[in-house]
Amino acid sequence: MNKMQIKPRELKIISVIAATHSIGDAAALLGMAQANVSKYLADFETRVGLKVFERTTRHLALTQFGESLLPFIEASLKKNEQLINFIADYKHEKRGKVTIYGPSGIMSYLARQVIHEIKDIGDIRISLKTYNLDRNEFFEGVTFPDDCDILITYAQPKDENLVATTLTKYSLTAFATPEYIKKHPISKPDDLINHSCILIDSMIIDDANIWRFRVNNSEQVLDYKVSGNYICDNTQTALELARNHLGIVFAPKESLAREIEEGSMVPCFIQQEEWWLDLVAIFRKRDYQPWRVQFVLDGVLNTLRKQIEQTPRGRSALKG
């Protein structure tokens, strides 16, 4: 009895047809002639003796067999990709995907200032994904996404087996619009209890945030419990609310550089009360670190550190 031979190319073609519901669209994505895609599919169905797709009035749809087959195809393609990536990593070839997660502000900064500085990436595909901290993660530790290779964030990892390296420290303080301050005067952190503060969800404790200030450039640090009507899962959204005079926001000065220069946002306190927040890069601790991940990780960290070193002391090069 002849053993059935199934080629990865056939499986890839079936997977793309299933995703597009079209021979023509699949051919365009695969860079193949439509006739060749049709032939691969027909040869596979003939050899198997079962139909994978049936044609409806508008597009191709999976048969019952096709629906059951597709998860096996995807699993097989994933294992094949992992094998190819392993060989490429071992040979230090630049191919495969590296996924970087981070808060929306950090992702914007990476896209604008960092990624283009990683030279000669070859066939490495860099996937940038937003990861804003969930509630309590700031205090309890951040969860590392399953498909993540590098996580840049403001919290330590929950899993102690992960590596966390500090990139820089953010200097944060309280800002609001002149219009808000005119209606709701404020002069010192003790007054925050009487104001509407825009909260960050990951820092929620008892429906409030704790804002920490190092008093007037001294070593004394005081905590203040603040509350308000608006809760955001990232600093960028909180800044937009503050720009619309809806309360006080706790943010890095660099995030508001343009508004501060224009005078549309101002610090709430004359003294330099501020809170220093660590920015960390988190990655897996492995006996075998994929070379493509190490290549991109080194590129990101070296670029960030170089930019941080070139920034005047007391400021962060990164805009949260």
Side-chain angles (χ1 to χ4, degrees), residues 195-256:
H195 287 263
S196 176
C197 297
I198 301 169
L199 309 182
I200 299 298
D201 189 60
S202 62
M203 299 170 67
I204 289 287
I205 297 178
D206 294 331
D207 295 324
N209 275 183
I210 302 297
W211 290 0
R212 179 171 295 167
F213 293 93
R214 189 181 63 180
V215 182
N216 197 21
N217 287 324
S218 72
E219 296 302 317
Q220 184 182 13
V221 175
L222 298 176
D223 290 346
Y224 297 88
K225 187 175 182 179
V226 302
S227 60
N229 300 106
Y230 303 98
I231 304 171
C232 303
D233 71 349
N234 67 88
T235 303
Q236 298 302 306
T237 306
L239 289 172
E240 291 299 331
L241 294 176
R243 291 180 182 111
N244 283 316
H245 326 300
L246 293 177
I248 297 173
V249 67
F250 202 47
K253 180 179 179 181
E254 289 81 11
S255 297
L256 292 162

Side-chain angles (χ1 to χ4, degrees), residues 10 16 73 76 101 110 122 133 145 156 216 225-226 297 308:
E10 294 173 322
V16 176
I73 288 178
S76 178
Y101 275 87
L110 291 180
L133 295 177
Q156 293 295 317
N216 197 21
K225 187 175 182 179
V226 302
L297 178 63
I308 290 165

